[in-house]
């Protein structure tokens, strides 16, 4: 407002002088001096890893035709634009440099200089030591929100007040109980979002005289984002692996009750984590969030709020076992792409965060699961996440009980190709890709200039996982690149173009998708590139199994509407599926060429296999049958079946389950139990002790029944080579309310199911 008034006064003075003073000219430069762009600061000092925001004054964004910013020494300080009237400086290493901002307004470009001093960072209050088995940490899974977020002001510590956490010496201790009623301001909260997002204190309160208003969420581009919301940086205070209960009251402000979103808005409780400084810097340099891992609590749960009354929101969540940065925030949902949900303002009040469980060391005196089963089944594995492997206590638990790991998401295609970027094969960055003449000949594998391109595959996290496994004597199951879910759309389109549509778009835009022959070349490129990378990296001896294709027999096709991208090109499922054969044939050939075929099992993985025994047998037999195009010698390119085994205490029942194992045995298949968990009656914080005890007993009895069925079939000659439990604890399970695993809240919380699991092996045959 002040700048506008100044401009008007300046123009009025110029006119008055021109009319009232004959023969006297006012120099244009003098008249417009007030409008000359300048920086909010001429010099700035930041610590390594910290940021400083600089704005460009005396000019409106809409007047700026172009802004460029450059750091003279990028190794000392990186710089990133914030719209057209600002930029952020990030300290990289101690030293001094100069940042130059060139602002073009009309035909005139003004160069502005900022002196930057970067100071060495002080000691880090690291929440958790990095295990010695991993020299560096790696990026998390694909995220649901960009990395472009407003950094907390330098005056904020990002840590709840020390007085609310036991620290003794005044430094923040583990966060046990944090409350904020906003009566004395916004406290440690800040606005996570684009330029323009802000938090304010308002008197439209739940109780007392103040509440926090999140507003300005539409951003300068007018689009808004669901993830723009009030946030807390809890990196240095929240307990890794801990469990928390969060509650607060929320409401749509009365001033927005009549807007497009009406009288209802859906909130989500979320967190965002980086696992390393390197990952964060990479995202900032690329202006994207490929390494940012975001979660909702519970997953994809919406909390509706209204404008005419306050609504209490309460939930529980478990903190990852490891993180470099942990941001708690509240966001909205964008249902059906309705962007207004990213623009809406909302209020929160009377916030409380309470720790209800803290991790304890695992009990190393317990019998190791792998040891109990050593004389029965050679490989006993567990599904893990990267953050769990980075936690020394959890890694110790894994090593004590298991000799194999399966990554839940980190080796899936949407994780490895999550950048949606392409590389020309002539680029140095594309070294290591295996691209044959057939691939190069396909027009859809080229860019607009005719250059052969490949999707960017990020192996950095996978490499670190493989290193941890090798250093700790663990085998790895590759799970699972090709299936009908978690597939990047651009892997299936012409010229790797990303449209961000769901698969049903193929009925409206079939011209976007490539053809079968091109997809065969892409399958071959990916499988060969991935396996070559693993083998050349020295990890060929770490891989024990490869889930080449996942859940093919459970693809769906509804009334002409595609439900996955494979169907856009190949149509509905077929027990002679050519692309399934192609994937196995290529993997088989690569392993043969590297003398690893007898060391790595190639597995078809699926759920509810006991319901589709005949289809599984036909599919695998068809793959292994002689086929002039994919299997000309009739080799065994698929070793067998991965029975996911997400079972319940009642269904399918151990007898029915055992019959399926027997059928696969008679078919001559290798059998791997790949994703074992046993769903029980729901157990939550509200469940009585009696009901919880009953649920856990039913779970233990079911585990005993299923494991005895597996052991009986193994003794009868079935080639059962591995059993993988699908998760470490109930708290981290994908169906945690069903209390499906052998340990409860943490790795020290042994359940009766563990005892039953061990007893089944120890007593078998007696």
């Amino acid at each position: 407002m002040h700048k506008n008034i100044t401009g008007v006064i300046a123009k009025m003075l110029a006119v008055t002088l021109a009319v009232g003073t004959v023969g006297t000219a006012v120099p244009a430069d003098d008249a417009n001096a007030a409008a000359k762009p300048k920086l909010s600061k001429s010099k700035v000092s930041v610590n390594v890893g910290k940021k400083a925001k600089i704005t460009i004054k005396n000019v409106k964004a809409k007047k700026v035709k172009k802004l460029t910013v450059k750091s003279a020494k990028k190794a000392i300080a990186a710089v990133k634009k914030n719209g057209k009237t600002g930029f952020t400086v990030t300290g990289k290493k101690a030293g001094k440099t100069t940042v130059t901002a060139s602002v073009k307004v009309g035909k005139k470009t003004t160069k502005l200089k900022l002196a930057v001093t970067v100071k060495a960072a002080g000691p880090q209050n690291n929440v958790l030591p990095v295990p010695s088995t991993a020299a560096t940490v790696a990026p998390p899974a694909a995220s649901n929100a960009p990395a472009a977020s407003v950094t907390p002001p330098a005056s904020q510590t990002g840590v709840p007040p020390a007085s609310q956490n036991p620290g003794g010496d005044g430094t923040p201790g583990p966060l046990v109980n944090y409350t904020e009623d906003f009566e004395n301001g916004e406290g440690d909260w800040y606005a996570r979002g684009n330029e323009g997002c802000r938090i304010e204190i308002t008197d439209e309160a739940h109780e007392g005289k103040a509440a926090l208003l999140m507003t300005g969420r539409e951003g300068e581009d007018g689009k808004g984002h669901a993830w723009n919301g009030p946030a807390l940086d809890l990196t240095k205070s929240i307990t890794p692996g801990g469990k928390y209960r969060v509650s607060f009251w929320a409401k749509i402000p009365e001033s927005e009750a009549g807007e497009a979103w009406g009288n209802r808005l859906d909130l989500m409780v979320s967190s965002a984590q980086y696992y390393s400084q390197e990952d964060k810097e990479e995202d900032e340099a690329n202006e994207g969030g490929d390494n940012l891992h975001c979660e909702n609590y519970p997953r994809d749960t919406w909390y509706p709020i209204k404008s005419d009354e306050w609504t209490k929101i309460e939930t529980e969540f478990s903190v990852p076992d490891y993180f470099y940065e942990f941001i708690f925030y509240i966001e909205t949902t964008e249902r059906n792409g309705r962007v207004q949900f990213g623009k809406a303002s909302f209020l929160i009040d009377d916030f409380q965060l309470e720790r209800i469980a803290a991790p304890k060391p695992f009990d190393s005196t317990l019998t190791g699961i792998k040891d109990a089963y050593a004389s029965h089944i050679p490989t006993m594995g567990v599904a893990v996440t990267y953050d769990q492997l980075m936690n020394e206590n959890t890694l110790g638990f894994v090593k004590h009980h298991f000799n194999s790991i399966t990554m839940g998401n980190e080796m899936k295609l949407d994780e490895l190709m999550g950048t949606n970027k392409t590389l020309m094969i002539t680029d140095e960055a594309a070294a290591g890709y295996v691209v044959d003449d057939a691939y190069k000949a396909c027009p859809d594998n080229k860019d607009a200039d005719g250059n052969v391109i490949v999707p960017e595959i990020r192996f950095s996290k996978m490499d670190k996982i493989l290193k941890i496994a090798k250093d700790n004597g663990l085998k790895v199951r590759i799970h699972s690149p090709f299936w009908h879910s978690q597939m990047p759309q651009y892997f299936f389109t012409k010229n790797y173009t990303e449209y961000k549509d769901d698969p049903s778009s193929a009925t409206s835009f079939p011209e976007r998708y490539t053809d079968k022959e091109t997809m065969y070349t892409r399958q071959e490129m990916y499988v060969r590139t991935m396996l070559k990378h693993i083998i050349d990296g020295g990890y060929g001896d770490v891989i024990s199994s490869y889930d080449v294709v996942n859940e093919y027999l459970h693809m769906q096709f509804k009334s002409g509407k595609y439900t996955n991208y494979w169907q856009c090109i190949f149509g509905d499922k077929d027990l002679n599926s050519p692309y399934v054969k192609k994937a196995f044939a290529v993997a088989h050939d690569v392993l043969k060429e590297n003398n690893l075929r007898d060391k790595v099992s190639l597995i078809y993985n699926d759920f509810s296999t006991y319901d589709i025994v005949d289809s599984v047998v036909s599919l695998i037999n068809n793959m292994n049958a002689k086929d002039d195009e994919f299997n000309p010698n009739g080799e065994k390119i698929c070793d067998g079946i991965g029975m996911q085994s997400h079972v319940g205490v009642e269904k399918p029942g151990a007898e029915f389950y055992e019959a399926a194992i027997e059928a696969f045995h008679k078919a001559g298949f290798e059998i791997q139990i790949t994703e074992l968990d046993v769903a029980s009656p729901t157990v939550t914080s509200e469940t009585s002790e009696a009901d919880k005890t009953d649920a856990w007993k039913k779970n233990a009895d079911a585990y005993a029944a299923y494991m005895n069925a597996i052991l009986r079939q193994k003794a009868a000659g079935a080639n059962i080579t591995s059993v993988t439990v699908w998760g470490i604890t109930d708290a981290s399970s994908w169906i945690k309310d069903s209390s499906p695993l052998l340990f409860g809240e943490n790795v020290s919380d042994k359940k009766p199911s563990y005892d039953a699991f061990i007893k089944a092996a120890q007593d078998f045959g007696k």
Side-chain angles (χ1 to χ4, degrees), residues 144-150 191-198 214-230 261 265-268 270 287-289 329-335 337-346 500:
N144 65 352
S149 58
V150 175
R192 180 176 185 264
N194 291 344
E195 187 74 19
C197 290
R198 62 188 184 279
M214 180 70 207
T215 189
R217 300 176 70 229
E218 65 274 7
E220 287 188 345
D221 57 9
K223 294 182 179 179
H225 297 283
W227 54 273
N228 296 163
W261 41 90
L265 185 65
D266 293 324
L267 299 188
M268 298 181 87
S270 306
E287 300 186 6
Y329 66 102
I330 301 166
E331 61 180 321
T332 56
T333 61
E334 292 185 10
R335 290 182 300 164
R338 295 172 65 186
V339 73
Q340 63 265 27
F341 285 88
K343 295 182 178 181
S345 300
F346 60 90
K500 297 184 179 179

Side-chain angles (χ1 to χ4, degrees), residues 596-607:
L596 291 172
R597 186 61 187 92
D598 60 339
K599 296 179 176 64
V600 180
S601 298
L602 298 179
I603 298 296
Y604 170 71
N605 194 56
D606 212 331
F607 65 90

Side-chain angles (χ1 to χ4, degrees), residues 256-278:
E256 298 200 10
E259 296 291 347
W261 41 90
N263 293 321
R264 171 175 164 154
L265 185 65
D266 293 324
L267 299 188
M268 298 181 87
V269 178
S270 306
S271 74
Q273 305 112 40
Y274 277 111
Y275 289 150
S276 74
Q277 174 67 19
E278 292 80 7

Side-chain angles (χ1 to χ4, degrees), residues 48-240:
V48 172
K50 298 298 182 181
K51 298 180 179 181
K53 289 185 66 178
I54 306 298
T55 57
I56 299 169
K57 304 172 68 176
N58 295 341
V59 65
K60 294 182 179 180
K62 64 182 180 181
K63 297 288 187 181
V64 178
K65 290 190 174 182
K66 185 177 182 181
L67 170 66
T68 58
V69 288
K70 184 178 181 181
S71 174
K73 297 178 181 178
K74 295 180 181 179
I76 293 176
V79 62
K80 176 184 174 183
K81 292 189 293 183
N82 293 330
K84 293 184 177 181
T85 57
F87 56 91
T88 300
V89 178
T90 303
K92 297 294 186 181
K93 70 176 184 179
K96 294 184 178 182
T97 186
T98 300
V99 170
T100 302
S102 298
V103 188
K104 185 176 182 181
V105 180
K107 296 182 179 180
K108 184 175 181 180
T109 298
T110 303
K111 288 191 175 182
L112 307 170
K113 301 285 187 179
L114 174 71
V116 179
T117 300
V118 179
K119 298 179 180 179
Q124 294 290 319
N125 180 16
N126 206 344
V127 292
L128 197 69
V130 178
S132 58
T133 55
T136 56
V137 292
S143 72
N144 65 352
S149 58
V150 175
T151 301
S155 61
Q156 294 181 1
T157 63
V159 182
S163 61
Q164 296 183 356
N165 296 281
D169 60 355
T171 59
L175 191 154
V176 176
N177 191 356
Y178 168 59
T179 61
E180 181 59 76
D181 60 11
F182 306 108
E183 297 297 313
N184 297 311
E186 66 269 18
D188 297 287
W189 291 81
Y190 70 98
R192 180 176 185 264
N194 291 344
E195 187 74 19
C197 290
R198 62 188 184 279
I199 55 174
E200 300 175 359
I201 299 299
T202 175
D203 59 4
E204 190 178 344
H206 169 245
E207 289 183 354
K209 299 180 180 179
L212 187 73
L213 171 66
M214 180 70 207
T215 189
R217 300 176 70 229
E218 65 274 7
E220 287 188 345
D221 57 9
K223 294 182 179 179
H225 297 283
W227 54 273
N228 296 163
L232 277 173
D233 184 349
L234 301 177
T235 302
K236 295 183 180 180
S237 59
I238 204 160
T239 303

Side-chain angles (χ1 to χ4, degrees), residues 364-547:
S364 60
T365 66
L366 292 178
T367 300
I369 290 172
K370 68 180 188 301
D371 301 318
Y373 279 84
S375 61
H376 303 292
I377 299 172
T379 302
M380 298 299 291
V382 65
V384 294
T385 60
Y386 181 73
D387 63 276
Q388 290 171 335
L389 290 179
M390 291 299 295
N391 182 293
E392 286 185 337
N393 186 45
T394 310
L395 178 60
F397 169 88
V398 171
K399 290 166 58 179
H400 179 74
H401 285 290
F402 304 99
N403 53 18
S404 170
I405 58 173
T406 302
M407 308 309 299
N409 289 298
E410 287 86 345
M411 292 185 179
K412 290 177 179 172
L413 222 65
D414 68 340
E415 172 76 12
L416 296 172
M417 291 186 187
T419 65
N420 297 340
K421 298 175 182 176
T422 58
L423 306 168
M424 290 190 295
I425 62 168
T426 54
D427 293 346
E428 182 179 350
Y433 283 73
V434 181
V435 178
D436 61 14
D437 290 340
Y439 183 96
K440 295 176 184 178
C442 292
D444 288 353
N445 292 335
K446 299 177 181 179
D447 62 17
D449 297 321
N451 300 301
V452 178
I453 55 177
V454 290
E456 181 181 48
I457 305 173
R458 296 177 117 181
F459 288 120
S460 58
K461 187 196 309 185
M462 186 179 77
D463 291 343
K464 292 163 188 174
I465 290 167
L466 292 171
K467 183 179 189 306
I468 293 173
K470 186 164 187 172
D471 289 349
N472 289 278
L474 298 167
K475 294 292 186 179
V476 176
R477 301 185 74 260
I478 300 176
H479 174 82
S480 76
F482 296 143
W483 70 315
H484 62 265
S485 183
Q486 293 184 241
M487 298 294 295
Q489 183 200 30
Y490 81 133
F491 187 59
F492 301 87
T493 61
K494 294 178 180 179
N495 315 114
Y496 291 106
T497 302
E498 176 69 11
Y499 296 101
K500 297 184 179 179
D501 295 325
D502 62 44
S504 63
S505 67
T507 58
S508 301
F509 306 101
E511 70 278 1
R512 292 178 175 176
Y513 295 90
T514 190
D515 53 59
K516 295 179 182 180
E517 294 305 319
T518 300
M519 281 309 303
Y520 295 148
T521 70
R522 292 182 182 183
Q523 284 184 280
E524 179 134 8
M525 175 277 299
Y526 176 77
V527 173
R528 285 190 174 277
T529 298
M530 182 194 65
L531 290 176
K532 180 180 186 300
H533 182 90
I534 292 171
I535 295 166
D536 289 354
Y539 298 114
D541 59 343
V542 176
I543 303 302
S544 62
S545 302
Y546 177 5
D547 290 338

